């Protein structure tokens, strides 16, 4: 067999022989991945660089081709780059070179890493959540940045470069068996959703290159709310007013509370604390809007100001609440007429006045009151009707009035008066009240008895027996009561005729007390006195002329026992020839 044939046979059998061979020839070469195309990597055999070197048979191991990336000169054994090598695409090349002498040389070309890849996060951003009451040192794992480079050129460090308000977060890193540098976001400060509801953190990953390459990811941190804020009213005290005639449902004012929390923790419901205020539920508050309305009819005269305690409570699982005070002033409307209180100033507190009362004397005391507002409707005008000008009003403060006598009064002319006190307020329209009373004029003894006649005439026979009725006189007294009770008497003068007559003190009947004698006095004159029962008593008199009629119980007596008369013969007929005188013992007319 020729030498050429022998060589060809060896080459044909070489793949099988390589696998079974245990030769120790090996060659390790290195090349930076950034090397330019055509860069010499080395030679298959160290020190062999002649172009006349033995030809090499290049056999890829396990069928992995190398000639796409490497240019291997089979004569000289020189290995150059055919393309720009990329360690991240292929980190090494392995083949067996078999020269003609039948030896096999294991050649390994390692592509050395260069820092040509920056750390890369799996996504440009991610979102995580923390409850605002999260304690310090609690962590949330972030997506790590991966770097295709290896070793020191791999990811070495993470930083928060923006968005870390008040430095409430920090990063905590750890490298696992897969050589990935993992990172956690750790709470380092106090979270408060109401101050900062979210954070947008810019996280950078740095490798170990010089200068290092970086990758960036945005971490959106949402702070979850917890119910750590009570509702807050925009005022600690509210003031409102409403007319007392406001209908049910009338709006008065709106309270407003806000809650810095969110969701149900920030949803507010309003109520009125009935245990502390408005127990009679005159008002109602809308649970959602805080609008306070009238719930029952109001009355200014019963209560002018209502104090409410309004509660705002959130809907958290453990609700928080706060309170505000609401003062509601009820304004008055003229819905009450004035009231009149009348006190009579007589000794028995009845409506009466003596007819002897002087001008300015008090009759009654009047007090007026209007339950309506002490401002607008308190001024009440009081007038007095009736009395025909005999009575009037006086006041100093327009609250207390006095009914006084303004003109003299006379019971005998008018025994009573009908008076009306009228009180009118100044509302619009005005309301008024009145009180009517009958004022009795009481009597004083200002009238003496008056006889029906100033002089009376009577006749009586001298033979009348004692007790015979002579005449009844009559007197009247315009006063009343005891002042008009009359007693009759006969005025007895010491120098008058004998006391022949009596008079009944009650009836005024004059009777004979004894026998009368015409011869003694033919026409006695009586003075009758009528005296009333007043204090002091008043009296009047009348004259009673009594004619005593004679009876024929005495003979006439001539002045002489014998008369002698001479008559001339020529005395005319009818001429008086003599005058005689006859004397009677009594001559009664």
């Amino acid at each position: 067999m020729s030498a050429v044939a022998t060589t060809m046979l060896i080459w044909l059998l070489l793949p099988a022989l390589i696998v079974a061979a245990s030769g120790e020839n090996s060659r390790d070469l290195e090349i930076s991945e950034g090397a330019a195309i055509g860069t010499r990597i080395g030679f298959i055999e160290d020190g062999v660089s002649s172009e006349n070197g033995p030809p090499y048979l290049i056999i890829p191991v396990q069928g992995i081709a190398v000639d796409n990336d490497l240019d291997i000169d089979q004569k000289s054994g020189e290995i150059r780059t055919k393309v720009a090598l990329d360690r991240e695409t292929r980190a090494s090349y392995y083949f067996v070179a078999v020269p003609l002498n039948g030896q096999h040389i294991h050649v390994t070309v390692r592509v050395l890493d260069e820092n040509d890849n920056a750390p890369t996060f799996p996504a440009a951003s991610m979102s995580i959540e923390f409850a605002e009451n999260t304690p310090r040192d609690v962590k949330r794992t972030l997506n790590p940045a991966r770097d295709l480079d290896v070793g020191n050129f791999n990811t070495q460090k993470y930083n928060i470069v923006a968005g870390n308000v008040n430095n409430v977060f920090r990063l905590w890193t750890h490298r696992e068996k897969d050589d990935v540098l993992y990172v956690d976001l750790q709470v380092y400060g106090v979270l408060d959703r109401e101050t900062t509801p979210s954070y947008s953190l810019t996280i950078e990953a740095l490798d170990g290159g010089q200068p290092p390459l970086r990758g960036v990811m945005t971490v959106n941190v949402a702070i979850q709310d917890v119910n750590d804020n009570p509702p807050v009213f925009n005022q600690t005290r509210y003031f409102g007013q409403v007319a007392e005639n406001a209908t049910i449902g009338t709006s008065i004012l709106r309270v407003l509370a806000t809650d810095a929390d969110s969701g149900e923790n920030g949803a507010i419901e309003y109520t009125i604390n009935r245990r502390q205020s408005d127990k009679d539920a005159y008002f109602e508050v809308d649970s959602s809007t805080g609008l306070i309305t009238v719930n029952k009819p109001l009355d200014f005269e019963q209560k002018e100001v209502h104090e409410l305690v309004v509660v705002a409570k959130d809907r958290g699982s453990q609700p928080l609440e706060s309170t505000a005070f609401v003062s509601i002033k009820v304004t008055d409307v003229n819905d009450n007429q004035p009231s009149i209180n009348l006190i009579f100033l007589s000794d028995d507190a009845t409506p009466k006045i003596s007819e002897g009362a002087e001008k300015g004397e008090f009759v009654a005391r009047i007090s007026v009151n209007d339950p309506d507002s002490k401002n607008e409707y308190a001024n009440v005008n009081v007038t007095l009707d009736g009395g025909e000008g005999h009575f009037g009003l006086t006041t100093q403060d327009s609250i207390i009035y006095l009914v006084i006598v303004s003109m003299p009064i006379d019971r005998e002319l008018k025994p009573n008066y009908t008076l009306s006190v009228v009180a009118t307020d100044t509302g619009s329209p005005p309301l008024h009240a009145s009180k009517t009373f009958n004022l009795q004029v009481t009597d004083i003894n200002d009238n003496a008895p008056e006889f029906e006649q100033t002089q009376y005439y009577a006749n009586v026979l001298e033979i009348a027996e004692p007790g015979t009725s002579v005449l009844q006189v009559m007197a009247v007294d315009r006063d009343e009561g005891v002042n008009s009770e009359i007693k009759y008497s006969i005025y007895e003068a010491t120098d008058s005729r004998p006391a022949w007559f009596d008079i009944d003190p009650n009836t005024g009947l004059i009777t004979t007390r004894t026998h009368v004698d015409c011869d003694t006095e033919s026409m006695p004159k009586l003075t009758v006195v009528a005296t009333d029962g007043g204090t002091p008593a008043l009296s009047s008199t009348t004259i009673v002329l009594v004619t005593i009629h004679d009876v024929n119980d005495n003979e006439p007596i001539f002045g002489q026992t014998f008369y002698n008369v001479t008559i001339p013969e020529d005395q005319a007929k009818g001429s008086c020839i003599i005058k005689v005188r006859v004397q009677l013992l009594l001559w009664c007319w």
Side-chain angles (χ1 to χ4, degrees), residues 278 282 298-307 328 330:
D278 196 29
Y282 284 104
L298 303 173
D299 189 352
F300 167 85
E301 289 68 43
Q302 289 186 358
K303 195 168 187 178
E304 297 182 26
V305 178
H306 294 260
E307 296 287 350
I328 299 177
V330 180

Side-chain angles (χ1 to χ4, degrees), residues 438-455:
N438 292 317
L439 180 64
Q440 178 187 1
V441 180
T442 60
D443 188 47
I444 62 172
N445 195 26
D446 59 345
N447 290 279
E450 297 177 359
F451 284 97
E452 293 178 338
Q453 298 174 215
T454 58
Q455 188 167 298

Side-chain angles (χ1 to χ4, degrees), residues 130-132 169 191-193 196-199 221-225:
F130 283 100
E132 63 177 325
F169 298 104
L191 301 178
D192 186 0
R193 189 203 67 84
T196 309
S198 63
Y199 296 83
V221 183
I223 307 303
Q224 297 173 317
D225 187 50

Side-chain angles (χ1 to χ4, degrees), residues 332-334 372-380 425-428:
D332 188 38
V333 296
N334 197 25
D372 291 319
S373 171
K374 298 175 180 59
N375 297 320
E376 183 177 359
Y377 303 117
N379 296 325
V380 179
D425 64 26
T426 56
S428 180

Side-chain angles (χ1 to χ4, degrees), residues 32 57 137 141 186 237 254 279 290 305 417 430 513 525:
S32 295
L57 176 63
D137 297 333
T141 298
Q186 184 179 33
R237 179 175 287 275
R254 188 189 305 274
K279 296 180 181 179
V305 178
Y417 293 87
R513 178 189 296 178
K525 180 181 179 182

Side-chain angles (χ1 to χ4, degrees), residues 86 159 192 197 217 250 413 457 561 574:
D86 184 4
N159 294 316
D192 186 0
M217 175 178 66
T250 299
L413 294 177
Y457 297 91
T561 61

